[in-house]
Amino acid sequence: MKILRTLTLYFAFLILSISCSTRDKQAVNIIEKSIEAHGGMKAWEEVQSIAMVRDIWMFDETGNTESYVRQENEFRLQPFFEAKMNWEKDSIPHRVHFDGVTIRYFMGENEILNEGFLQSRKGDLDAAFYVLSKPFDLLEKGKHLEYQGREELAGGVPVETVKVIDGDPKDPMTDIWWYYFDPKTFEIVAYKVKTSDHYSLVYNQGWDKSTGLMLPARRESFRVDMEGNHLYKRAIYGYGMYQVVR
């Protein structure tokens, strides 16, 4: 009876451990293959800094252009994270700088000190770097990874799907991501994200391979419903003039 009780407890613990796992093997395997397809982890870890020019077109629900801006972006990865973003609007230069601790924003010669506004600009920097760092940081600790099988995107494009949650899955404010990988090359075809108030589906439509890494060249973002059906085109992003220092 004692042996039976011990075995029962062991299997109960094993089942609980499996059910509570935050990452399954197939999801990890797909991401590992994707990292290799995008240049390899060794090449990514050697990067000291990345700079590029980014063009952004934003559209409203009727298809009209809301805005266009060309930004100069620069990110230092080592020995600490630092980010800079510069652009011009209505002949006025705008500069955002995060030194690893403090975020600063200048409009012309005037420094903006409103804390809420500064945090919003920090979010812009994070979002710009987020794109560059995929898929290389998807295996970092703390991320919940779940393989969700093969699906088809609009136009019948087959993809392997991995669900990624970076944060508390029980928190309704935590963003949920679905990454879509090419079943043969394991390049990132697209991703869908659920935020607190909407869903977006972003397609990678071109890659820049000039630096030895696969970095974005063109992306299109759509507002979608929870099933991924397009509602309207929200943005187009163009990337170029990459400079990578190792």
Side-chain angles (χ1 to χ4, degrees), residues 50 84 94 98 122 125 130 239:
I50 300 176
K84 299 177 182 178
H94 295 249
F98 177 68
K122 175 61 165 55
L125 290 172
Y130 183 93
Y239 301 77

Side-chain angles (χ1 to χ4, degrees), residues 25 87 120 134 157 209 220 230:
K25 290 182 178 180
W87 70 96
S120 179
K134 300 299 172 293
V157 178
K209 303 179 182 180
E220 285 196 6
H230 293 189

Side-chain angles (χ1 to χ4, degrees), residues 48-62:
Q48 302 289 320
S49 66
I50 300 176
M52 51 54 177
V53 172
R54 184 170 66 143
D55 294 300
I56 306 172
W57 293 264
M58 302 295 294
F59 305 94
D60 63 21
E61 295 184 30
T62 65

Side-chain angles (χ1 to χ4, degrees), residues 34-222:
S34 183
I35 289 172
E36 287 304 310
H38 284 256
M41 186 60 77
K42 184 177 184 297
W44 175 254
E45 290 177 341
E46 290 174 348
V47 173
Q48 302 289 320
S49 66
I50 300 176
M52 51 54 177
V53 172
R54 184 170 66 143
D55 294 300
I56 306 172
W57 293 264
M58 302 295 294
F59 305 94
D60 63 21
E61 295 184 30
T62 65
N64 293 319
T65 302
E66 278 187 348
S67 63
Y68 164 75
V69 65
R70 165 164 280 202
Q71 296 177 342
E72 296 177 355
N73 293 183
E74 183 178 350
F75 303 94
R76 187 200 339 213
L77 282 63
Q78 301 181 44
F80 59 88
F81 183 75
E82 181 180 10
K84 299 177 182 178
M85 186 180 286
N86 304 318
W87 70 96
E88 188 173 291
K89 183 177 180 181
D90 299 327
S91 300
I92 299 174
H94 295 249
R95 294 175 290 133
V96 185
H97 179 212
F98 177 68
D99 63 6
V101 178
T102 304
I103 180 80
R104 301 184 71 184
Y105 181 95
F106 291 87
M107 185 182 298
E109 299 301 318
N110 301 314
E111 183 172 6
I112 308 301
L113 300 175
N114 180 275
E115 188 61 31
F117 184 83
L118 291 175
Q119 288 308 308
S120 179
R121 299 290 75 79
K122 175 61 165 55
D124 293 341
L125 290 172
D126 291 341
F129 181 70
Y130 183 93
V131 176
L132 301 180
S133 64
K134 300 299 172 293
F136 304 104
D137 66 351
L138 287 178
L139 294 180
E140 289 181 352
K141 291 182 179 179
K143 288 182 170 60
H144 301 258
L145 307 177
E146 178 186 340
Y147 174 66
Q148 296 203 314
R150 184 168 292 196
E151 301 181 35
E152 286 189 356
L153 299 180
V157 178
V159 290
E160 297 280 13
T161 305
V162 175
K163 182 179 179 181
V164 180
I165 304 177
D166 189 2
D168 183 359
K170 298 179 182 178
D171 184 349
M173 299 302 292
T174 298
D175 293 345
I176 301 175
W177 305 77
W178 291 265
Y179 282 86
Y180 303 112
F181 301 88
D182 184 291
K184 295 181 179 179
T185 67
F186 295 96
E187 296 174 7
I188 299 177
V189 176
Y191 65 77
K192 183 173 73 173
V193 57
K194 175 188 178 299
T195 66
S196 59
D197 63 353
H198 69 270
Y199 287 83
S200 293
L201 180 57
V202 183
Y203 296 89
N204 289 311
Q205 297 187 321
W207 297 100
D208 186 304
K209 303 179 182 180
S210 63
T211 65
L213 295 167
M214 280 186 56
L215 298 170
R218 179 182 169 89
R219 302 163 64 242
E220 285 196 6
S221 174
F222 292 82

